[in-house]
Amino acid sequence: MSLARRLRLVLVVALVGAAGVGCGDAGGLRGAGPTATANSPERLWPQITPASSPAWDLDEAETQVVQGVVVPGDDIRRVNPVAVVRAEIAADPSDYAGAKAPYRDTGRLMAKCGPPGKGACPVLQPYYRDLTGDGRPDLTLGFRLSPGDLTAVRVYTVEAHRLVQVMAWEDAVSAVELAGRSVIIRSPSDLADYEYRLQWTWDAEQKAMLLTHDEMLRTDGRRMPSGKRHGVPSATPQPLPSATGSGIAYVIPGTYGAPLPASPAVVALPYYPRTPAGPV
């Protein structure tokens, strides 16, 4: 046998021996167990005539110009968030004024507002982020609706020198996230260890935030101080899963006119139990 053939034989034996050792290592391939049988989608009741109109009006793609609020220099940061909420109250005073108004305490407490997010003012800290993709920050605003158990969440942008509301929602809210072009609202469920997660995403064609996801998801089962189980962020900011895959951030402290956060914001809001009539 020639020297070259002997060297090749030794090399082959060495490689086979190394492969055998590798198979016994912790990093080797392991079986994942039996694979579940895949079931193809099955259409039910094909004889039913497809619906041509929605059963309920969820105000999809509904936008409105905020009357009485100007945007100096088209800079939404220069708009006072408290003035924006006052304009909404003025547009629908029956919900806020009078002994029988559903949100009468909100109307009363607006008189105590200085900077938002301070003291008894029902207007929460504003957040600024480009949700419409035009390179300019938009305004995400929240305010408590009391004596009810709801929180109002709003998104505003500037269009043709006017302040335009492009998203509005009220619910029992446990947390709000901004991720990519989306607003994600988490709300408690009556089922232990579950929560609702609703996601609005900017649609350039409709020029509005559209409800693109409505899910019920399991939480981590942490207990509230009252003993009720729910996956609500604690006082210490905790990362929450992003529905867009664009990253995670934490509660961002700041005040009216604070710098635009460079990453998605997680806004910790008060916990309220979901009311039976709450929209889901």
Side-chain angles (χ1 to χ4, degrees), residues 52-190:
S52 59
S53 61
W56 296 281
D57 182 11
L58 294 179
D59 297 331
E60 294 99 335
E62 182 175 302
T63 64
Q64 58 181 348
V65 176
V66 179
Q67 302 295 332
V69 177
V70 297
V71 187
D74 287 347
D75 185 357
I76 203 167
R77 298 175 188 271
R78 297 175 64 185
V79 175
N80 188 339
V82 174
V84 176
V85 176
R86 284 178 174 150
E88 179 171 334
I89 292 175
D92 193 6
S94 61
D95 281 347
Y96 300 92
K100 295 184 178 181
Y103 310 131
R104 55 192 177 275
D105 286 354
T106 295
R108 176 179 56 83
L109 291 172
M110 288 299 296
K112 299 181 178 296
C113 283
K118 302 292 185 179
C121 179
V123 183
L124 303 174
Q125 173 188 331
Y127 285 83
Y128 300 90
R129 183 182 179 85
D130 180 12
L131 296 173
T132 61
D134 62 0
R136 300 180 301 177
D138 302 298
L139 168 62
T140 302
L141 189 59
F143 58 97
R144 299 182 182 92
L145 298 173
S146 56
D149 294 330
L150 304 179
T151 299
V153 180
R154 307 285 189 259
V155 175
Y156 302 89
T157 189
V158 178
E159 183 179 320
H161 313 296
R162 302 175 301 177
L163 186 68
V164 180
Q165 183 187 94
V166 294
M167 177 244 171
W169 189 252
E170 300 89 33
D171 205 346
V173 171
S174 55
V176 177
E177 296 173 79
L178 302 180
R181 300 286 180 258
S182 297
V183 177
I184 303 164
I185 298 178
R186 296 171 180 265
S187 299
S189 166
D190 289 332

Side-chain angles (χ1 to χ4, degrees), residues 14-53:
L15 289 175
V16 171
V21 172
C23 290
D25 291 342
L29 297 178
R30 295 182 179 180
T35 302
T37 303
N39 294 319
S40 61
E42 181 179 0
R43 182 182 176 185
L44 305 184
W45 308 304
Q47 72 276 14
I48 295 179
T49 303
S52 59
S53 61

Side-chain angles (χ1 to χ4, degrees), residues 250-268:
Y250 296 88
V251 176
I252 299 177
T255 58
Y256 165 49
L260 175 68
S263 59
V266 176
V267 186

